[in-house]
């Protein structure tokens, strides 16, 4: 469109109001066009792709090609990959490559999704980032430089550390506590250098920009008026009227003054919150730019008018990418404040809007997501070992890679900040569950195919029964109890050589008339054990005799709540070599625990409590999927407690049943606690020193939030420690607020939390994410389940009320002991819970392939302070030499080559933070040639960045001036200036004649070998 002829006249009328208080130098406004496209939330991925997401890319690409000065940033890869693979034409693909080459289109974050930062595990954050980065590098030869984490509900200190390890120059976040953001705005403190890891410190620091109170949209919050000229996307199920985003009135003679005033006033308001005259001004919102022609056309007019009157308005505006904004900011050479490892959790958007409920929302989805991740971890290493040193003779490798890639996609997808958080609609939840289950089924079939031919031929197959193949995915020897459900109490368990195996059988705690079979197993790292499980006519008195021992069950009568306050006179002991658990016969509750290492008895009582919440807007704030707003302190939801003790030779199980009413037949809550009876030795220490607990919770009554409260005699002064995405611990002080203190003192627990005093520490290890808090001295409470309903019209329209009637079965492991002891145990015990041995069953009378028998591969064993975070064959089909890869792309060889199975992805992770343990926190040297000799000959090792797209030697991150002077930063050489592309020739090989991993600093053992690609 031609410049508007009426602009000069309008200018004279409009600019009179801007003549007062002109700034000395104009504010330089970097307008960053973007579209926020949630991978889920209200609509499924396919619904959103049809309604708007595909057209965002189609129309944006078209409009960027029309005007060279326009810019756009693309964030999450899932929609783009679907558009690229299934919708984009060859012409559009060529245009995308051109726009990337001319830097008018920029990919930021580059992950599969914009992941949540509170309840995701850092293993899965890395996975989804690697999935997206791998696609971008394979397809375009590009590596993202900047993040755009603008919508997750709070900011973790783990994410900036991972982004630094991936090679990012700067990190953008938005949602932090409302009062903290206000204070930071006033102090011009929204920009700083963040050292997210205490141990890595300045080595992996990253410049961080917090978006101001207007967040990622333009000033017309909440994305419903002004500056939105493309209107609303049309879905098959129309949104309610109040969600329709009206199309803004196109710019004309009559309304230019309104738009200019709105923009200029907003710019000047926001510029006062930053230290330099460079202002990042996001232009976009949810689903915006699906009609980019209308959007850019009106934006062009507005920007042209302002720039033609810069001297009077005091600002300049330009379309920009994040690279252009941060490049200009970096050139100012300002000295920045340093922030340490503290995070921005929890997040509150107002005094009564503490976003801490989603730490627990949709508990079953959270559990499924973590179990899918654990299955993927096991499947990756099992497949890698099946290919090397000799490929599996009957395995279709292309099919195998397809199964792994499908589950990688599903696990990456569910890390989205409206997925694993449980804040999505039921139909979107169903989409995540379907994708996870489908991917899990494929990997299960893959693993079954791998082990089927390697299962030994047990004697007497006519006896019936099953073969259990138990795989240990961890890189150390694990001794544990594997639990199976069988339909009979008389059972015989033998190993590969026909020798009897110690086992215990008992009545099932949930399924009647089934039985639980517990098998004691010791499995070397990344290895299998095979067991025959057959019905027998005899039982054993001694575990050395044939047949599993039968546990004895003792029943105790119910005790009512009225007795719960006057106990302690009649105690029952349940003990192993590490603990004695005392149970109060007068209440049927736990009373105390004697920890043998310190010989200290700590009062420990556990009970279920419920918070009542409001569901009626007429009576005040409401709890929902996101926020937690209790009306009062927690109350007991039960009137009586029953108890059973199931005692056997291998383990004793304490079963406590909580009933809402004294005479109820069915219990609403239950605690199942297990103590293993194994010698306290090198193999059995982890098993002996934990109390394994599983809970049954539900169905809940409406508007109830269920917690497990553990009250102890530890004087922790309400100081709690909870993990940051399973990566490092954060110290959480209880803070009194004028309102809503209960909810605002809840924190995410992804894998572990603990309380302590000067002598002892009580550790909780979790299988999945929960909310956790210390509401009183010596207390730690874990939110386990939520069931909510409210009468908010918007929530009812989309079924976002979280009316979850399910029964959930969370798992926690409890450790108790002196701080030095628990410091050494916590990390490895957490991994033992996260990656428990995987059991694959088949009928005993099935015949295996005609093979000479299983050839057990050499075990993989790492030092006790290291964890094999990933061992996989990614299936990359591009050269790791950046120059060669770009040349291949230029020649048109774009992703058509066969996957290279010789390239094995390896990540090692130092488990312990600096100073956490006097021995285990020390640097470690590893000879990969020795550790991985079971894979065959290692030809070369390439040191790569976290997501594998950079050779470490060529990666140079920007150095930002800080108050404490220069530091060595980044993954490669220091490099003080800015560089868009590094040296083209990466270091391709590191010979293994010497130990190939130099000593690494805890906790992230990825210094010299950030990530290795092995060439076999």
């Amino acid at each position: 469109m031609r410049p508007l002829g009426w602009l000069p006249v309008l200018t004279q009328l409009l600019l009179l109001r801007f003549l007062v208080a002109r700034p000395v130098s104009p504010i330089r406004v970097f307008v960053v066009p973007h579209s926020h496209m949630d991978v889920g939330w209200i609509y499924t991925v396919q619904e959103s792709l049809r309604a708007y997401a595909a057209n965002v890319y189609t129309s944006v690409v078209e409009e960027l090609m029309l005007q060279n000065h326009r810019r756009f940033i693309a964030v999450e890869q899932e929609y783009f990959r679907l558009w690229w693979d299934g919708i984009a034409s060859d012409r559009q693909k060529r245009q995308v490559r051109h726009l990337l080459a001319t830097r008018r289109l920029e990919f930021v974050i580059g992950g599969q999704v914009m992941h949540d930062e509170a309840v995701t595990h850092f293993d899965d954050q890395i996975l989804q980032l690697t999935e997206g980065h791998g696609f971008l590098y394979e397809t375009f030869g590009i590596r993202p430089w900047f993040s755009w984490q603008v919508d997750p509900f709070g900011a973790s200190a783990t994410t900036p550390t991972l982004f630094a390890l991936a090679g990012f120059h700067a990190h953008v976040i938005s949602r932090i506590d409302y009062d903290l953001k206000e204070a930071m705005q006033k102090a011009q403190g929204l920009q700083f250098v963040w050292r997210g890891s205490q141990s890595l410190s300045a080595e992996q620091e990253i410049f961080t920009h917090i978006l101001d109170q207007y967040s990622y949209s333009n000033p017309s919050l909440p994305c419903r008026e002004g500056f939105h000229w493309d209107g609303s996307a049309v879905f098959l199920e129309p949104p309610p009227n109040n969600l329709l985003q009206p199309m803004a009135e196109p710019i004309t003679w009559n309304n230019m003054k309104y738009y200019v005033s709105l923009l200029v006033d907003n710019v000047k308001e926001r510029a006062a919150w930053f230290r330099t005259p460079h202002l990042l001004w996001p232009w976009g919102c949810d689903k915006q730019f699906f009609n980019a022609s209308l959007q850019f056309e009106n934006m062009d007019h507005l920007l042209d008018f302002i720039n033609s009157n810069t001297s009077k308005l005091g600002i300049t505006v330009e379309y920009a990418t994040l690279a252009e904004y941060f490049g200009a900011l970096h050139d100012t050479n300002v000295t920045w404040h340093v922030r340490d490892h503290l995070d921005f959790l929890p997040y509150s958007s107002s005094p009564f809007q503490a976003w801490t409920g989603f730490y627990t929302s949709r508990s079953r989805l959270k559990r499924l997501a973590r179990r899918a991740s654990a299955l993927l971890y096991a499947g990756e290493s099992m497949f890698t070992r099946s290919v090397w040193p000799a490929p599996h003779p009957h395995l279709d490798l292309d099919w195998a890679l397809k199964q792994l890639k499908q589950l990688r996609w599903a696990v990456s997808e569910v890390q989205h900040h409206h997925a694993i958080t449980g804040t999505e609609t039921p139909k979107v939840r169903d989409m995540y569950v379907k994708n996870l289950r489908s991917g899990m089924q494929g990997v299960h079939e893959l693993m079954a195919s791998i082990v089927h031919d390697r299962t030994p031929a047990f004697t007497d197959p006519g006896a019936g029964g099953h073969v259990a193949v138990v795989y240990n995915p961890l890189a150390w020897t694990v001794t544990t109890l594997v639990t199976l459900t069988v339909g009979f109490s008389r059972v015989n368990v033998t190993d590969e050589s026909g020798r009897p195996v110690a086992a215990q059988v008992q009545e099932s705690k949930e399924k009647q008339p089934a039985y639980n079979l517990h098998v004691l197993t010791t499995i070397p790292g990344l290895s299998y054990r095979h067991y025959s499980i057959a019905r027998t006519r005899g039982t054993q008195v001694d575990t050395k005799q044939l047949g599993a021992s039968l546990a004895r069950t003792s029943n105790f009568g119910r005790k009512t709540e009225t007795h719960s306050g006057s106990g302690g006179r009649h105690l029952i002991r349940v003990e192993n070599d590490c603990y004695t658990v005392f149970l109060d016969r007068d209440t049927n509750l736990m009373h105390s625990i004697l920890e043998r290492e310190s010989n200290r008895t700590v009062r420990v009582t556990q009970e279920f409590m419920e918070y009542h919440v409001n569901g009626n807007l007429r009576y005040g704030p409401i709890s929902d999927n996101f926020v937690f707003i209790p009306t009062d302190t927690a109350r007991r939801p039960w009137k009586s407690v029953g108890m059973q003790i199931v005692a056997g030779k291998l383990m004793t199980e304490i079963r406590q049943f909580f009933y809402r009413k004294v005479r109820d037949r069915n219990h609403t809550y239950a605690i199942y606690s297990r103590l293993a009876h194994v010698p306290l030795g090198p193999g059995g220490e982890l098993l002996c020193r934990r109390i394994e607990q599983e809970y049954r919770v539900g169905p809940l009554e409406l508007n109830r939030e269920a917690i497990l409260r553990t009250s102890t005699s530890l004087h922790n002064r309400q100081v709690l420690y909870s993990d940051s995405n399973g990566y490092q611990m954060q110290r959480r002080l209880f803070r009194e607020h004028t309102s809503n203190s209960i909810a605002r003192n809840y924190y995410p627990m992804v894998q572990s939390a603990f309380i302590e005093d000067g002598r002892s520490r009580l550790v909780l290890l979790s299988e999945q994410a929960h909310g956790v808090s210390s509401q009183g001295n010596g207390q730690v409470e874990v939110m386990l389940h939520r069931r909510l309903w409210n009468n908010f019209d918007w929530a009812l329209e989309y079924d976002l009320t979280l009316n979850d009637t399910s029964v959930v079965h969370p798992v926690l492991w409890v450790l108790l002991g002196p701080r030095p002891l628990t410091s050494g145990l916590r990390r490895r015990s957490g991994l033992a819970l996260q990656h428990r041995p995987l059991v694959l069953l088949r009928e005993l009378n099935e015949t295996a392939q005609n093979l000479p028998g299983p050839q057990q591969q050499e075990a993989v064993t790492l030092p006790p302070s290291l964890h094999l975070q990933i061992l996989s064959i990614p299936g990359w089909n591009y050269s790791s030499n950046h120059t060669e890869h770009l040349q291949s792309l230029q020649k048109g060889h774009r992703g058509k080559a066969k996957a290279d199975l010789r390239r094995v992805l390896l990540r090692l992770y130092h488990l312990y933070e600096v100073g956490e343990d006097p021995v285990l926190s020390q640097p470690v040297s590893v000879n990969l040639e020795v550790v991985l000799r079971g894979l065959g000959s290692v030809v070369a090792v390439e040191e790569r960045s976290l997501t594998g797209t950079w050779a470490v030697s060529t990666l140079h991150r920007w150095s930002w001036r800080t108050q404490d002077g220069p530091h060595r930063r980044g993954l490669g050489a220091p490099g003080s200036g800015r560089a868009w592309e590094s040296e083209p020739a990466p270091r391709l090989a590191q010979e293994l004649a010497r130990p190939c991993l130099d000593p690494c600093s805890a906790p992230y053992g990825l210094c010299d070998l950030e990530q290795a690609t092995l060439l076999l």
Side-chain angles (χ1 to χ4, degrees), residues 866-880:
L866 293 188
H867 169 48
L868 181 65
Q869 192 180 48
I870 193 67
L871 180 69
S872 73
I873 296 177
W876 292 326
N877 56 8
Y878 55 83
S879 171
S880 61

Side-chain angles (χ1 to χ4, degrees), residues 192 210 226 256 315 319 390 505 561 625 653 665 709 766 784 800 831 833 857 935 953 968 972 992:
F192 49 88
I210 301 177
M256 176 64 82
I315 71 171
Y319 290 121
V505 66
E561 183 188 11
N625 303 52
E653 184 172 74
R665 291 187 56 189
R709 177 171 290 171
S766 177
L784 301 177
L800 275 171
L831 287 169
L833 173 57
Q857 293 172 299
L935 292 176
S953 60
R968 183 187 182 278
L992 293 174

Side-chain angles (χ1 to χ4, degrees), residues 477-480 521-522 678-688:
T477 298
V478 168
T479 296
T480 190
T521 181
T522 297
V678 294
L680 181 57
E685 182 181 28
L686 291 185
L687 181 57
C688 179

